[in-house]
Amino acid sequence: MSTNMRVDGARLWDTIMETAKIGGTEKGGVKRLTLTDLDAQVRHWLIGQCEAAGCDVHYDDMGNIFARRPGKDNALPPIAIGSHLDTQPTGGKFDGIIGVLAGLEVLRTLNDSGIETHAPIELIDWTNEEGSRFAPAMLSSGVFAGVFSRDYAYEREDREGLTFGDELKRIGFVGGEACGGHKLAAHFELHIEQGPILEDEGKTIGIVTGVQGMRWYEVTVTGMDCHAGSTPMRLRQDALVAAARMIEAVQAVGLANGPDAVATVGLIEARPNSRNVIPGEVFFTIDFRDPNDSVVAKMEDEARAAFDKIVEGSGVSVKCERIWDSPAVHFDKECVAAVEGAASSLGYPARRIVSGAGHDSAYIAKVAPTTMIFVPCEKGISHNEAEKTEPEQVAAGADVLLQAVLATDARLAPKTGA
Ligand code: HGY
Ligand code: MN
Ligand code: MN
């Protein structure tokens, strides 16, 4: 009986440790930025593993990889298991990666058990989920969901001026299928929580009901480069001092709109970045999030008003451009119920939770019934080389994933008893 089926937790953990070597860092993290040679290396590794598991593998013109395990009726749209293999510069071994590799483990477990599902099952590696090298995040699942055009995505530049399109071509992953070119019956994503709630409450499984709203901004503060030694304080147009005040204001906006609002300046570049030149230009980014879109909008208004006040009479100007707006997402009730039912039948302590982090599922939810499964990570630490979770927790998440996918396959199977 398929409800007794369990993944091979040791095999899954070994797979995670194997891929962690591709871009592995001294501190035990993984640095595998999207569309680098390391990303290409793990992509080829994944394709090899999926082909060995009997899947048909192809990728689309955004480099999204689709590994399809045939079902009884291959005319049915596949039930997808997706996440991402790209990481932050100081990323961990698990963010995104456990979602893809647990999907591979589900395919392997179905093979070991000789189970034939009604619909095909499709494992997906979504390109550029992190948005660290090419902003915004979730770029390729966004193209798949029709949120971004492929041309917009191809034009995105990293901080060295290289474009997404050129880098995708360079690593040889421009596939023949137009991104978004095929339907998904459902999409499930296993992910670490990247927050402290599950661990704090002693829960093994997070039943994810949605993703909070988020907006990203790029801010350019313009003053005047000048000599640090011969320019009197009262005559300076110091872009970095103004930017520092704005960053303080961003923090204040986050605190003032709590308890769920979060506000972050994560990237800053001062130019010319020379110790004896008054900075003439500063570039920095802002990340605002809250489960409630109206709070995110209010934070934007308050930050803009603060910036205008800061530049008044300062001889400095500011340009604040919103480059990304991902409204709050509510996942599909039946998919959420499948996860809840699986966690309960497997006897794992679970709770419903809204995701603080963005995920590809947030966009895929626009085009397919979607939900996510969380497992705890130690102290909620993520986007950090110290990111840690336990083999038993990953195996538990993979078992819930397996059972939720099987339950969905049974629910969606044509009633003709195919
Ligand atoms: O930014 C995020 O929440 C995700 O990690 N890309
Ligand atoms: Mn992730
Ligand atoms: Mn991430």
Side-chain angles (χ1 to χ4, degrees), residues 37 51 53 71 94 140 171 174 181 196-197 262 283 325 336 341 346 357 376 389 394:
D37 292 344
E51 285 173 340
F94 307 103
S140 304
I171 66 165
V174 179
I197 296 170
V262 286
F283 171 88
D325 181 358
V336 170
L346 289 162
T389 185
V394 177

Side-chain angles (χ1 to χ4, degrees), residues 84 86-88 91 95-96 129-131 191-192 194 357-359 382-383 387:
H84 63 94
D86 65 312
T87 74
Q88 287 286 337
D95 171 0
E129 186 281 338
E130 288 295 355
H191 207 287
I192 48 172
Q194 301 180 294
H359 300 285
S382 183
H383 284 192
E387 187 179 270

Side-chain angles (χ1 to χ4, degrees), residues 84 86 88 95 128-132 136-138 191 194 211-212 214 216 287 289 324 355-360 382-383:
H84 63 94
D86 65 312
Q88 287 286 337
D95 171 0
N128 191 48
E129 186 281 338
E130 288 295 355
S132 171
M138 299 115 77
H191 207 287
Q194 301 180 294
V211 179
Q212 67 178 342
M214 48 197 80
W216 282 6
D287 179 323
R289 306 192 195 195
W324 187 41
S355 176
H359 300 285
D360 293 308
S382 183
H383 284 192

Side-chain angles (χ1 to χ4, degrees), residues 171-199:
I171 66 165
F173 270 91
V174 179
E177 182 187 58
C179 184
H182 69 274
K183 221 172 119 31
L184 304 177
H187 181 272
F188 290 88
E189 180 172 7
L190 171 64
H191 207 287
I192 48 172
E193 178 200 339
Q194 301 180 294
I197 296 170
L198 294 180
E199 182 184 61

Side-chain angles (χ1 to χ4, degrees), residues 32-43 60-65 85-87 125-129 133-134 139-140 153-154 156 158 162-174:
R32 195 166 59 220
L33 292 181
T34 196
L35 306 188
T36 56
D37 292 344
L38 287 170
D39 186 16
Q41 190 183 336
V42 78
R43 287 164 167 266
D60 66 17
D61 60 6
M62 285 296 293
N64 298 311
I65 299 173
L85 291 174
D86 65 312
T87 74
D125 170 27
W126 295 110
T127 306
N128 191 48
E129 186 281 338
R133 183 180 178 197
F134 298 104
L139 186 62
S140 304
Y154 273 33
R156 309 305 297 155
D158 65 10
L162 295 172
T163 66
F164 179 98
D166 288 347
E167 285 295 277
L168 185 66
K169 279 184 202 98
R170 185 184 67 80
I171 66 165
F173 270 91
V174 179

Side-chain angles (χ1 to χ4, degrees), residues 58-59 110 184 213 246 252 271 281 286 322 358 367 380:
H58 77 282
Y59 39 90
L110 292 172
L184 304 177
M246 291 174 195
R271 288 185 271 270
E281 186 182 270
I286 301 173
R322 188 198 314 151
V367 291

